[in-house]
Amino acid sequence: MRKIILSVLLFLNHQSYSQKIIDTIISQKLKEDREFSVSLPDSYSKNKTNKYPVLFLLDGDYLLDPFQGAINYGAYWDDFPEVIIVAISQNKKDERYSDCTFNTETGLPEGKGKNFFEFIGQELLPFIEKSYRIAPFRIIAGHDVTAGFLNFYLYKDKPIFNAYISLSPELPTQMEEIIPQRLLVLNQPIFYYHAIAGGDIKLNKERVIQLDSVLATIKKPNLNYLFDNFKGASHYSLVLQAIPNALYHIFGIYQPITVTEYNEKIAILPSGQVDYLNKKYETIEKLLALKTRIRFNDFKAIESAIIKNKVYDEFRELSNLAEKQYPKSMLANYELALMYEYTGEFLKARKYYQAAYEREEIGNLTQNMMYDKMEEMKNAKTPAQTETAPITPIPDQKP
């Protein structure tokens, strides 16, 4: 079924390790060998139990590098999860066009297009899932003719992809009418991003704009939709502008709490800040199929909001959450100490600062800090009158 034709290529990126594997699969559907590459995340060889979302790239010969660069950058700052990228080679003469063959009357894949459609879903995807640690969140992306073709996966009752990145698509027959119909009836969460450029072919632009005019009216909680029209871009320069937008659209929920999110969604809550934090990470797991430990900086953002709104009882719930997420660290006892400090129970606050002192340091919580707080509580005589400075909920450097 499969044969390796080139050895594993290793390269350094940001002083870290990653792998690019070039491979071929003997396709029964296509009756030919098809080359593809797999780019593994930097942590793949270190974290043996981690599972990763997978991105399938049509036109992988020239889309791999820009997607890889954007994903590496986002993952470096923890804005994106690390992703396994499968780039399908289509560099033979006219191969990308023959792969995307469709019937001009029915608008459905036919001939090699039908075989290529089935090759991805029935041969390549199962092979990747068997060979690598894949999380059940799949993305597909393409450019012009392949961008139109990838939408055929939405025609299935249960689409195999969760997210679609369609860059300057050439839409097959009636697709601007069929896509909205499909997105209306699909029940699973779908991320859909498409973009055009000012320099695109006029007919293609008109059809995509028509598609957007309908999709923009669909209001469904399980449809995450975004359209970009890059006025000053060409058909080709659009790619470099659209890729970051598409990835931030798909992985926006994954980001740490930003200043904007803090100010507009958290700080304004009269209560329920800890509920907000729990729901944020539950949504990450539900939409992206990723179980992620709550970031320390997100704890600090919620802590700041609790202090700002004087809802000090929420520190107890935050402490319970910290005990589950970071059981060996100071964090849980520190949150309880804050609750007692801000409610004027300084003896209890000192007790929990001392308990925190005896645990592992985390983030900016250190033994020196806990010792200083213990001394402060020893001498405190009135409830804390001044609030601590709000904590910026974005790390200034990579954690």
Side-chain angles (χ1 to χ4, degrees), residues 269-295:
L269 293 173
S271 62
Q273 282 80 4
V274 180
D275 282 343
Y276 180 95
L277 183 63
N278 275 316
K279 288 175 182 176
K280 176 182 174 72
Y281 281 82
E282 287 170 4
T283 303
I284 292 173
E285 183 174 1
K286 179 181 177 181
L287 291 183
L288 304 180
L290 293 172
K291 192 166 183 63
T292 306
R293 184 160 69 169
I294 298 174
R295 300 170 178 91

Side-chain angles (χ1 to χ4, degrees), residues 262-383:
Y262 176 82
N263 289 332
E264 296 182 0
K265 296 183 178 181
I266 302 172
I268 62 172
L269 293 173
S271 62
Q273 282 80 4
V274 180
D275 282 343
Y276 180 95
L277 183 63
N278 275 316
K279 288 175 182 176
K280 176 182 174 72
Y281 281 82
E282 287 170 4
T283 303
I284 292 173
E285 183 174 1
K286 179 181 177 181
L287 291 183
L288 304 180
L290 293 172
K291 192 166 183 63
T292 306
R293 184 160 69 169
I294 298 174
R295 300 170 178 91
F296 173 77
N297 274 62
D298 287 354
F299 271 99
K300 299 300 283 182
I302 298 303
E303 174 189 307
S304 180
I306 290 171
I307 294 170
K308 181 180 185 298
N309 290 282
K310 299 182 173 64
V311 284
Y312 306 127
D313 286 348
E314 294 221 11
F315 275 124
R316 191 181 301 279
E317 191 177 351
L318 192 62
S319 173
N320 291 336
L321 189 58
E323 188 66 32
K324 294 176 183 177
Q325 297 285 312
Y326 298 95
K328 296 181 180 180
S329 81
M330 299 177 170
L331 187 57
N333 286 318
Y334 174 75
E335 302 298 359
L336 280 178
L338 283 178
M339 180 182 73
Y340 289 120
E341 177 180 353
Y342 275 89
T343 54
E345 298 186 62
F346 301 119
L347 288 178
K348 289 183 179 179
R350 187 173 189 272
K351 169 187 171 183
Y352 282 101
Y353 282 128
Q354 182 172 352
Y357 177 89
E358 295 169 358
R359 288 194 173 189
E360 293 179 2
E361 296 181 346
I362 181 173
N364 65 344
L365 305 183
T366 65
Q367 286 188 324
N368 286 341
M369 177 184 177
M370 296 308 126
Y371 181 83
D372 290 342
K373 293 298 291 185
M374 289 161 56
E375 292 299 303
E376 182 183 333
M377 294 302 99
K378 186 192 299 185
N379 300 319
K381 297 184 187 203
T382 58

Side-chain angles (χ1 to χ4, degrees), residues 251-268:
F251 294 127
I253 185 62
Y254 180 85
Q255 286 182 272
I257 293 171
T258 64
V259 170
T260 299
E261 184 179 4
Y262 176 82
N263 289 332
E264 296 182 0
K265 296 183 178 181
I266 302 172
I268 62 172

Side-chain angles (χ1 to χ4, degrees), residues 80-319:
F80 306 157
E82 291 182 298
V83 176
I84 291 175
I85 303 177
V86 179
I88 301 171
S89 297
Q90 295 176 290
N91 57 2
K92 295 179 182 177
K93 183 179 179 182
D94 296 327
E95 189 167 46
R96 63 197 301 270
Y97 294 102
S98 61
D99 284 343
C100 299
T101 304
F102 65 92
N103 186 297
T104 56
E105 293 184 5
T106 65
L108 297 175
E110 70 172 8
K112 191 181 179 186
K114 180 177 181 292
N115 295 335
F116 183 67
F117 179 88
E118 293 176 348
F119 157 71
I120 292 174
Q122 298 177 25
E123 293 182 330
L124 183 57
L125 175 58
F127 169 73
I128 295 297
E129 290 182 323
K130 182 179 179 180
S131 303
Y132 301 97
R133 299 193 305 274
I134 303 296
F137 187 81
R138 307 164 185 151
I139 311 165
I140 188 167
H143 181 222
D144 60 48
V145 65
T146 63
F149 183 84
L150 62 83
N151 290 290
F152 284 129
Y153 290 100
L154 289 170
Y155 289 19
K156 304 291 286 184
D157 289 337
K158 293 183 179 180
I160 61 174
F161 294 102
N162 309 92
Y164 299 76
I165 301 175
S166 180
L167 306 176
S168 192
E170 295 181 17
L171 299 176
T173 308
Q174 296 183 324
M175 187 169 272
E176 66 270 38
E177 299 169 9
I178 297 173
I179 290 176
Q181 295 170 10
R182 297 302 306 147
L183 292 176
L184 273 171
V185 300
L186 291 173
N187 292 319
Q188 69 189 68
I190 295 288
F191 291 85
Y192 192 86
Y193 175 89
H194 62 153
I196 58 171
D200 267 327
I201 299 170
K202 183 179 178 181
L203 179 59
N204 290 347
K205 285 197 299 182
E206 290 174 350
R207 295 182 66 200
V208 174
I209 290 171
Q210 179 185 340
L211 172 59
D212 170 64
S213 69
V214 180
L215 292 181
T217 66
I218 299 176
K219 306 301 179 186
K220 290 179 64 179
N222 64 350
L223 175 60
N224 299 275
Y225 172 70
L226 182 63
F227 168 66
D228 278 326
N229 186 348
F230 297 101
K231 303 286 187 183
S234 72
H235 179 71
Y236 300 102
S237 67
L238 160 146
V239 169
L240 293 179
Q241 297 182 60
I243 288 174
N245 285 14
L247 293 172
Y248 272 99
H249 171 63
I250 294 169
F251 294 127
I253 185 62
Y254 180 85
Q255 286 182 272
I257 293 171
T258 64
V259 170
T260 299
E261 184 179 4
Y262 176 82
N263 289 332
E264 296 182 0
K265 296 183 178 181
I266 302 172
I268 62 172
L269 293 173
S271 62
Q273 282 80 4
V274 180
D275 282 343
Y276 180 95
L277 183 63
N278 275 316
K279 288 175 182 176
K280 176 182 174 72
Y281 281 82
E282 287 170 4
T283 303
I284 292 173
E285 183 174 1
K286 179 181 177 181
L287 291 183
L288 304 180
L290 293 172
K291 192 166 183 63
T292 306
R293 184 160 69 169
I294 298 174
R295 300 170 178 91
F296 173 77
N297 274 62
D298 287 354
F299 271 99
K300 299 300 283 182
I302 298 303
E303 174 189 307
S304 180
I306 290 171
I307 294 170
K308 181 180 185 298
N309 290 282
K310 299 182 173 64
V311 284
Y312 306 127
D313 286 348
E314 294 221 11
F315 275 124
R316 191 181 301 279
E317 191 177 351
L318 192 62
S319 173

Side-chain angles (χ1 to χ4, degrees), residues 26-41:
I26 303 173
S27 171
Q28 301 302 314
K29 295 291 182 181
L30 294 170
K31 307 300 182 186
E32 64 183 24
D33 296 357
R34 286 307 294 258
E35 182 179 286
F36 62 95
S37 67
V38 179
S39 292
L40 298 178

